[in-house]
Amino acid sequence: MSSSQVICLISRARVHESTPRGTSVEVRLPLSQTAFQRLRHGFSETFFPDDPFHQFKNQSRLRKAVLALQYFFPILQWAPTYSLSLFKSDILSNSSGQILKPTHFTAIIHSSFVPPLIYGVLGSSRDLAVGPVSIASLVMGSMLREAVSPAHQPLLFLQLAFTATFFAGVFQASLGFLRLGFIVDFLSRPTLVGFMAGAAIIVSLQQLKGLLGIAHFAPQMNIVPVVQSVVKRRDEWEWQTIIMGACFLLLLLTARHISLRKPKLFWVSAAAPLASVISSTLFVFIFKAQNHGIQIIGHLDEGLNPPSANSLYFRGPLLGLAIKTGIVTGILSLTEGIAVGRTFASLKKYQIDGNKEMMAIGLMNMAGSCCSCYVTTGSFSRSAVNYNSGSKTAVSNIVLASTVLVTLLFLMPLFYYTPNLILAGIIITAVVGLIDFRTMGRLWKVDKLDFLACMTAFLGVLFFSVQGGLSLAVGISVFKILLHVTRPNTATLGNVPGTKIYRNFMQYPDAKRIPSCLIVGIESPIYFANANYLHERVLRWVREEQERIKTRRENILKYLILEMTAVTAIDTSGLDMLTELKRTLENQSITLLLVNPIGEVMEKLQDSDSLAAIGSDCLYLTVDEAILSIALKCNTL
């Protein structure tokens, strides 16, 4: 029996019950569009996938103006319905948690005043609480310390910090305004997990300076010099500081553990920092511990945020460093802020606009840089306290700013006797939660390349630098994207028994081969970057199938069917590849058939000479129709 007869018999037996002869559907071209229409559609799909202008359709001019104001100032959406009960919830949520995060940097306290006010007006999240965050603080400090010492040049260091914050805000607001938020997606979740774990360890090791009472400590932000500094400065260790620091650190970690085990007791970990600061400050004041080796904060300036617009560093040799630091911290803070906002929005079943969030965060950082604030974003810990405390609207940020205002005006002198060791303990307790071993284990189990990116960020931060580790990890993430683009997946398909469905043999080992036919699925767009690879890989599938046929003495290969459902786009290099593949196969007496080329691909085949070279009679809507057509042809021979 010939191969054509075999195909005919198999196809008839499988399809005659449900597919009458001659009922195959023609592969059609998409509706005709002008070049402008195509450009408009592509632009809209790229930059406006959420169609933010749909609410303006069929509205009066006055209504459109109101909607525009509400779009740029989300507070106008919910302010008319704001009630006393909502205000009570927002007050209670902040009084229970947000004042419980004292810190030793005046700039950080300032950064918790102006930015929350601005976000309360511009932000679209009801639960996001803004302020300084560990990651951005760490990166900014480590990058600026490479060129300027905060101990020897404090004014220049602050200038660069404010300038970096300004450029971070410009970068963030520009991304939102130009709707380029997808750029942030290059900082993948595995990269952030590794980065945060490495950063948490480095930050924790840096706090040994306060916990051990070391006066001279390594300024570098990698593990080797930090450990060397701890070992070499043993003569500076203060046993009083060590004992007191260990006790308070144990207290803080225990409070954190209790809150993690019993979420209803979230207030325990929230109250622990404030309780520790008060008790340690009273202890130092009563027993004059500063005279016995316990280092204290000392004097802190009172008053509102001093203006810093004149301090922005726009000229000089360090401008490039400020811009680079601003972009890096801007990306990091933007990624964290939007991720936190979306997390709590999903819990309360509402949506936030990512691009509006970018503009809000960017504008508050630009304004903050002119008011002695450094880069701020949505804080997970603050937002978690807001959420668990019953916060209802963005007014909670305004309440937070009011709380900080009271602190700046009246409470700053109370921190004079606060020991550095307690602040070190609070920082360690805060950053230890950034080490996510569970996610690392899941990455290893699910995707080894993601795990590699995670470990690269982790080890890079530990042994090189924060920005060095981050750059390596981003590089691996980009390499992964390029790998998927340049080496797309292909697979040979077979018929799932009892159906007209064709699937990968690796997934369905019991799938049946069609004699004299090789069915190959391409699972990606075809671009210049992968056209040559696909050409070589398809010919390899052909060669391997011919070798298999020869070994088993089956019917010779006569048809190659390319299943192109997953080919969502194609360029001229891809079209040339298909034409060249057609010629190569013809020299081996093999016919090329294309299955289900989508609209854009079909349109480009039509506009080029590729469709004429391949033949319109070689296009089919499904693999089953292609097999049936082969059977019908053999039946007429």
Side-chain angles (χ1 to χ4, degrees):
M1 184 179 293
S2 68
S3 61
S4 298
Q5 290 173 322
V6 172
I7 297 173
C8 182
L9 290 175
I10 292 176
S11 300
R12 282 183 192 173
R14 183 169 47 78
V15 304
H16 85 281
E17 294 182 357
S18 58
T19 310
R21 181 179 300 181
T23 60
S24 61
V25 180
E26 179 184 0
V27 179
R28 299 177 181 177
L29 287 167
L31 296 176
S32 179
Q33 290 183 315
T34 64
F36 176 75
Q37 288 174 326
R38 294 179 189 174
L39 181 63
R40 180 182 178 183
H41 177 75
F43 182 84
S44 175
E45 289 298 313
T46 301
F47 298 103
F48 301 95
D50 55 341
D51 189 17
F53 303 113
H54 72 282
Q55 58 182 329
F56 296 94
K57 295 177 181 178
N58 303 319
Q59 301 289 341
S60 64
R61 290 186 178 181
L62 178 61
R63 181 58 182 165
K64 287 180 179 179
V66 172
L67 290 174
L69 288 174
Q70 290 179 341
Y71 181 82
F72 290 106
F73 301 96
I75 191 174
L76 298 178
Q77 292 179 339
W78 50 263
T81 59
Y82 194 71
S83 64
L84 184 61
S85 61
L86 292 176
F87 182 65
K88 179 181 178 181
S89 298
D90 292 331
I91 285 282
L92 291 176
S93 68
N94 276 277
S95 63
S96 65
Q98 299 304 344
I99 62 173
L100 306 179
K101 298 187 180 295
T103 176
H104 60 302
F105 291 112
T106 305
I108 299 180
I109 301 178
H110 289 161
S111 299
S112 298
F113 174 48
V114 174
L117 285 175
I118 297 176
Y119 185 84
V121 175
L122 301 178
S124 61
S125 173
R126 306 171 196 166
D127 303 281
L128 194 68
V130 299
V133 293
S134 301
I135 298 178
S137 304
L138 166 70
V139 173
M140 176 172 289
S142 63
M143 293 183 70
L144 295 181
R145 278 195 193 95
E146 292 184 353
V148 178
S149 170
H152 299 96
Q153 297 174 292
L155 293 179
L156 179 58
F157 188 86
L158 283 177
Q159 280 185 296
L160 292 176
F162 298 148
T163 307
T165 300
F166 176 81
F167 284 112
V170 170
F171 178 74
Q172 293 166 334
S174 299
L175 287 182
F177 181 76
L178 299 175
R179 304 187 70 82
L180 297 175
F182 59 85
I183 294 177
V184 178
D185 294 335
F186 280 96
L187 201 59
S188 65
R189 172 64 177 167
T191 298
L192 282 177
V193 169
F195 169 78
M196 288 189 294
I201 292 177
I202 289 296
V203 170
S204 298
L205 291 175
Q206 282 281 342
Q207 303 316 307
L208 292 177
K209 174 182 179 181
L211 288 177
L212 300 177
I214 300 175
H216 304 88
F217 205 76
Q220 293 90 343
M221 294 295 291
N222 63 72
I223 192 169
V224 176
V226 170
V227 173
Q228 287 178 343
S229 182
V230 171
V231 175
K232 291 181 178 179
R233 300 291 181 178
R234 291 193 301 272
D235 56 318
E236 296 184 13
W237 293 12
E238 296 286 349
W239 66 268
Q240 301 95 331
T241 301
I242 294 173
I243 294 176
M244 186 175 177
C247 291
F248 278 105
L249 179 60
L250 181 62
L251 172 66
L252 291 166
L253 292 175
T254 301
R256 179 180 180 274
H257 180 72
I258 292 173
S259 296
L260 289 177
R261 293 292 297 271
K262 297 183 178 181
K264 290 184 178 180
L265 299 177
F266 70 92
W267 56 269
V268 174
S269 62
L274 180 61
S276 299
V277 168
I278 294 174
S279 57
S280 63
T281 303
L282 289 175
F283 179 87
V284 171
F285 176 75
I286 294 172
F287 295 100
K288 306 299 181 182
Q290 72 273 20
N291 299 326
H292 301 281
I294 303 294
Q295 299 175 6
I296 61 174
I297 291 179
H299 175 72
L300 291 176
D301 294 329
E302 299 178 67
L304 296 177
N305 298 24
S308 56
N310 294 333
S311 300
L312 296 180
Y313 187 95
F314 290 136
R315 294 181 181 179
L318 298 177
L319 178 59
L321 174 64
I323 295 175
K324 181 175 69 173
T325 303
I327 292 176
V328 172
T329 55
I331 292 176
L332 286 173
S333 59
L334 200 58
T335 303
E336 180 175 0
I338 292 178
V340 172
R342 286 175 175 169
T343 297
F344 288 100
S346 65
L347 292 176
K348 289 191 175 179
K349 296 180 175 57
Y350 69 93
Q351 291 184 334
I352 62 172
D353 187 325
N355 288 291
K356 283 202 291 187
E357 287 295 288
M358 293 178 192
M359 288 191 286
I361 294 174
L363 290 173
M364 78 177 185
N365 278 319
M366 291 173 64
S369 68
C370 300
C371 302
S372 300
C373 304
Y374 77 97
V375 66
T376 55
T377 187
S379 167
F380 183 83
S381 59
R382 288 182 174 89
S383 301
V385 172
N386 259 9
Y387 177 81
N388 289 317
S389 302
S391 171
K392 301 298 183 183
T393 69
V395 169
S396 59
N397 281 289
I398 300 176
V399 175
L400 166 63
S402 302
T403 304
V404 174
L405 175 62
V406 174
T407 303
L408 287 170
L409 292 178
F410 307 109
L411 303 181
M412 296 296 278
L414 299 180
F415 295 113
Y416 182 90
Y417 289 100
T418 301
N420 289 336
L421 62 90
I422 194 61
L423 301 175
I426 291 174
I427 293 173
I428 291 175
T429 305
V431 300
V432 72
L434 298 176
I435 306 176
D436 193 348
F437 292 109
R438 180 177 298 179
T439 299
M440 291 182 183
R442 185 173 62 86
L443 291 175
W444 170 257
K445 181 180 179 180
V446 176
D447 193 321
K448 300 298 189 293
L449 202 55
D450 274 348
F451 180 78
L452 177 62
C454 177
M455 287 295 100
T456 300
F458 176 71
L459 297 175
V461 170
L462 281 183
F463 292 99
F464 295 100
S465 65
V466 171
Q467 61 271 28
L470 190 61
S471 299
L472 285 173
V474 171
I476 288 182
S477 298
V478 173
F479 173 75
K480 181 182 178 181
I481 296 173
L482 294 176
L483 190 64
H484 285 305
V485 171
T486 60
R487 295 296 182 267
N489 190 38
T490 60
T492 54
L493 312 180
N495 175 242
V496 178
T499 72
K500 294 187 288 183
I501 299 173
Y502 292 79
R503 291 293 183 266
N504 188 346
F505 283 112
M506 296 296 293
Q507 187 176 3
Y508 295 87
D510 58 337
K512 304 299 182 182
R513 296 180 184 273
I514 305 300
S516 297
C517 294
L518 173 62
I519 308 169
V520 176
I522 299 177
E523 301 178 359
S524 82
I526 304 177
Y527 294 122
F528 67 93
N530 61 25
N532 288 333
Y533 168 79
L534 288 173
H535 183 267
E536 296 171 358
R537 190 64 186 90
V538 170
L539 290 180
R540 177 182 166 188
W541 282 121
V542 171
R543 185 182 71 251
E544 291 174 350
E545 179 68 9
Q546 289 172 332
E547 292 173 352
R548 188 194 67 82
I549 289 173
K550 185 177 180 180
T551 301
R552 300 192 178 188
R553 298 182 179 180
E554 297 178 357
N555 297 299
I556 63 173
L557 182 62
K558 288 190 174 182
Y559 295 94
L560 171 65
I561 302 174
L562 287 185
E563 215 288 343
M564 301 181 65
T565 302
V567 181
T568 55
I570 193 170
D571 64 3
T572 54
S573 298
L575 296 172
D576 293 340
M577 183 276 288
L578 292 177
T579 305
E580 178 62 26
L581 182 63
K582 170 77 172 179
R583 286 196 293 263
T584 304
L585 293 174
E586 283 180 343
N587 293 334
Q588 302 180 39
S589 300
I590 299 174
T591 302
L592 175 65
L593 305 179
L594 304 183
V595 169
N596 196 27
I598 68 166
E600 180 183 339
V601 176
M602 188 63 191
E603 195 170 24
K604 290 186 177 180
L605 286 170
Q606 174 71 22
D607 292 341
S608 66
D609 297 330
S610 300
L611 185 59
I614 295 172
S616 58
D617 58 336
C618 293
L619 302 180
Y620 295 92
L621 195 61
T622 66
V623 174
D624 193 72
E625 289 186 0
I627 298 298
L628 178 61
S629 176
I630 295 172
L632 293 176
K633 288 178 181 177
C634 79
N635 196 37
T636 59
L637 295 177

